[in-house]
Amino acid sequence: MTPAAGTTPRTTLVRTKAELRTHRAALRGSVALVPTMGALHDGHLALVARARELCDHVILSDFVNPLQFGPGEDYEAYPRDLEADLAAVDGLVDLVFAPSVEEMYPVLPPTVSVTAGAAGTILEGAARPGHFDGVVTVVTKLLQLTTPDVAVFGRKDAQQLAIIQALVADLDLPVRIEPVEIQREPSGLARSSRNVYLSDAGRERALVLSRTLAAARAAAPSNAALRAVLHDALQRAEIDWAYALALDPATLEEIDAAHRGEVLVTLVGRIEGVRLLDAAVVVVTEA
C-alpha cells in the first residue's frame, strides 16, 4: 500500500537497536525493509519506491557491514555520507537505521553468526571468502530487529539475492523477499555505489557488461547461442573478467547443453581496480 495522497511519512533517524525497536513497535500496518550500505543512488531509491508500493511503512538500514569485507578490500574507503543519504530519502521512508559498528556488533567478530553454506563459497564467494557469511549474518540481524513483512533487494547482486532467498526459506523467517530489477545509468551501466571510483574512461569501458547482457538476451532462446556469446566476450577480454556465466537460478551451477527454462546470466569484471557486477535472467527453450 502507498500512503494516502498528499501525505508523506515523517523520516526519523535512529542510531541504536533500542530506539529502533521502540519506533518499530509504534508502526501500524505492514512494514518493508530496504537494507543498504548507504552511499544511496537512484538504484536504492527504486528499492524504496517498490517498498512504498507494497507496504504502509518503510525502514531503510544504512550500515557498512565490516563482516562482508575481506583483507585488502575497500571497507575503510567505502563511500559514506549519512547526511546525503538522509536528504535522499527524507519523506520517503519512516525510519533510517544507521547504527555504529559497536552498536551492531558488541563483540566483533560475533560469538554466534550465520553461514551461507556451499552457495556462499562459489563465484563471488570463491573470490571473497567469508563475504556471504557476513551478508547473511547482518541480514538476519536486520530482519530480527525490524520484523518486516517484506524485504526488498536488487537483482544486480544475483548470487546475494539467491542466498538471501535460501536463508529465508531454510530458517523459516517470516518475511517475503521482493526482488527489484536492476537500475541503470542512461549509458546502460548498472547503478552501483562503487561507480564513483571509475573515471570517465572507466565508465565507458564498463559498458561491455551491459552490451554483453544485451547480446545474451538477443541470443536467447537458443542455449548454444547464449553460451557462445559469453565465451566470445571472455575471449575478447575487453575488461579484466572474473567470469561471464550462464547459471541455473536455483542451483547457481553452470547450465549444460540440455538446460531449458530460466537462465541467470551473471557477469563480473574489474575496471580500474573496481569489481563490477551485472546480471539478467533470460529464458532458454531450444538447443
Side-chain angles (χ1 to χ4, degrees), residues 51-131:
R52 291 194 65 194
E53 289 175 352
L54 294 172
C55 293
D56 300 300
H57 304 286
V58 179
I59 301 173
L60 181 136
S61 63
D62 190 315
F63 177 66
V64 182
N65 176 35
L67 292 188
Q68 64 195 73
F69 290 80
E73 292 189 340
D74 60 347
Y75 173 69
E76 295 298 336
Y78 195 86
R80 296 166 171 85
D81 190 342
L82 180 57
E83 184 175 345
D85 293 344
L86 292 170
V89 297
D90 186 34
L92 300 179
V93 305
D94 296 77
L95 303 176
V96 172
F97 177 49
S100 66
V101 172
E102 295 76 17
E103 176 67 19
M104 200 65 174
Y105 299 114
V107 176
L108 193 64
T111 305
V112 176
S113 60
V114 185
T115 62
T121 65
I122 60 175
L123 305 173
E124 286 301 279
R128 305 177 66 188
H131 167 72

Side-chain angles (χ1 to χ4, degrees), residues 15 51 55 57 74 104 110 155 193 211 228 262 269 281 283 286:
R15 304 302 300 264
C55 293
H57 304 286
D74 60 347
M104 200 65 174
R155 289 190 182 276
S193 299
R211 288 197 301 266
E262 287 193 343
V281 174
V283 177
E286 60 190 56

Side-chain angles (χ1 to χ4, degrees), residues 1 24 27 29-35 47-48 50-61 93-95 143 146-152 175-176 178:
M1 297 177 60
R24 170 64 183 91
L27 297 179
S30 57
V31 173
L33 171 67
V34 181
L47 303 182
V48 169
R50 182 58 177 152
R52 291 194 65 194
E53 289 175 352
L54 294 172
C55 293
D56 300 300
H57 304 286
V58 179
I59 301 173
L60 181 136
S61 63
V93 305
D94 296 77
L95 303 176
L143 292 175
T146 59
T147 60
D149 300 281
V150 177
V152 182
V175 62
R176 176 165 69 85
E178 175 72 11

Side-chain angles (χ1 to χ4, degrees), residues 3-8:
T7 67
T8 54

Side-chain angles (χ1 to χ4, degrees), residues 235-251:
Q235 294 303 305
R236 289 196 303 273
E238 295 174 85
I239 66 172
D240 182 12
W241 287 107
Y243 51 81
L245 297 172
L247 306 176
D248 183 318
T251 65

